[in-house]
Amino acid sequence: MVEYEKDPIVYPYITEYLRKDIPPRSGILKELEDYAKEHGVPIVQPETAQLLEVLSAIKRPKRILEVGCAIGYSAILMAQYLDVGGTVTTLEWDADTAQIARENIKKAGLEDTINVINNDAKEVIPTLSAEYDIIFLDGPKAHYIYMLNDCIRLLKKGGLLIADNVLYKGMTADDNHVIRRKITIVKRLRRFISAQMQRNELKTVVLPLGDGVTVAVKV
Ligand SMILES: C[S@@+](CC[C@H](N)C(=O)[O-])C[C@H]1O[C@@H](n2cnc3c(N)ncnc32)[C@H](O)[C@@H]1O
């Protein structure tokens, strides 16, 4: 049985069905899934991981930027689909976590491909100037809205901006579901979704998958 959040954004039986046929992982990704479970590290949910793989396989990116590396799971996952010579830059502000990610990335043989920057993404992003094919936001949810302009600036035309947890256990969609201490995050996530929808540079869809994911393409 799948363990469910108190307020899942889709019916539990749907989540169970979506996960049923996802092939089990092996090697380093399986090790990281087990580690995340044991140590309570919030890596992407299985169906969100599947979406990242599909989008990465479609794009065959040369450059990926990730905000929120944790132990390196999603960075390693996406790196499998890089174009020849492609790279992932991933940001993680917690020094110990960044160190664990670097060790995992080395174990995966990807130390020349994935660069972990141990710093606050809010400070790093404005300083970046490379163009990215995929930007994956999975760090500070309350700051997605403040990162949007830079993300659009950093995305190539046709590039994808993917943001996880935008429905935030359903709280984003309905005031009755909001836990009081989460209200600031929820309000900012609502602004983030609306802003993406309204920006002429983007075409955006909100997917009720995992904890809610937006996928936007720069047009
Ligand atoms: C949900 S986890 C990332 C999971 C990872 N993407 C995966 O699926 O394998 C979010 C991570 O973002 C980091 N984080 C939070 N705020 C940050 C910030 N302002 N700058 C950089 N990293 C941040 C946290 O320390 C945490 O490790």
Side-chain angles (χ1 to χ4, degrees):
M1 272 290 275
V2 178
E3 277 180 35
Y4 302 112
E5 302 284 358
K6 192 169 143 276
D7 285 322
I9 63 167
V10 294
Y11 290 114
Y13 75 93
I14 302 275
T15 301
E16 190 159 14
Y17 182 74
L18 294 182
R19 290 182 184 179
K20 184 173 71 71
D21 290 325
I22 297 177
R25 302 200 184 276
S26 57
I28 183 80
L29 289 171
K30 166 80 172 108
E31 275 179 42
L32 296 191
E33 285 178 357
D34 292 345
Y35 180 97
K37 208 171 205 173
E38 198 182 324
H39 295 86
V41 180
I43 61 169
V44 283
Q45 297 184 21
E47 56 277 24
T48 309
Q50 204 69 8
L51 176 70
L52 287 181
E53 282 200 79
V54 169
L55 296 175
S56 302
I58 292 170
K59 285 271 5 133
R60 287 276 164 204
K62 195 87 190 166
R63 276 202 206 92
I64 297 176
L65 173 65
E66 176 180 70
V67 174
C69 173
I71 57 174
Y73 178 79
S74 50
I76 293 170
L77 185 81
M78 292 187 286
Q80 301 175 106
Y81 299 93
L82 286 168
D83 194 4
V84 182
T87 55
V88 179
T89 299
T90 178
L91 313 179
E92 175 53 56
W93 71 354
D94 182 77
D96 293 340
T97 309
Q99 186 51 34
I100 295 171
R102 286 193 185 111
E103 283 161 20
N104 290 331
I105 287 162
K106 191 157 186 217
K107 208 166 167 187
L110 291 168
E111 65 270 35
D112 295 332
T113 303
I114 304 176
N115 179 27
V116 181
I117 299 179
N118 174 211
N119 208 336
D120 186 340
K122 299 193 286 295
E123 285 168 25
V124 176
I125 286 188
T127 69
L128 298 175
S129 55
E131 282 200 306
Y132 295 90
D133 303 283
I134 293 181
I135 300 177
F136 177 44
L137 297 183
D138 195 20
K141 318 301 163 198
H143 290 276
Y144 288 0
I145 180 67
Y146 303 119
M147 294 174 177
L148 183 59
N149 281 340
D150 276 316
C151 287
I152 293 172
R153 175 179 66 79
L154 292 168
L155 263 187
K156 267 186 210 161
K157 260 205 168 181
L160 300 177
L161 173 60
I162 308 164
D164 197 13
N165 309 106
V166 294
L167 291 177
Y168 213 51
K169 299 183 172 59
M171 288 188 261
T172 310
D174 178 20
D175 276 343
N176 291 324
H177 285 78
V178 178
I179 301 168
R180 260 179 95 84
R181 67 192 156 81
K182 300 285 188 188
I183 189 70
T184 302
I185 299 178
V186 169
K187 282 184 175 167
R188 290 185 188 175
L189 281 172
R190 287 175 182 164
R191 279 172 54 204
F192 174 69
I193 292 173
S194 299
Q196 285 191 94
M197 291 289 186
Q198 284 159 18
R199 292 292 292 248
N200 289 333
E201 305 96 319
L202 299 177
K203 202 77 205 163
T204 304
V205 63
V206 187
L207 303 173
L209 185 92
D211 195 26
V213 183
T214 47
V215 180
V217 59
K218 185 167 171 179
V219 291

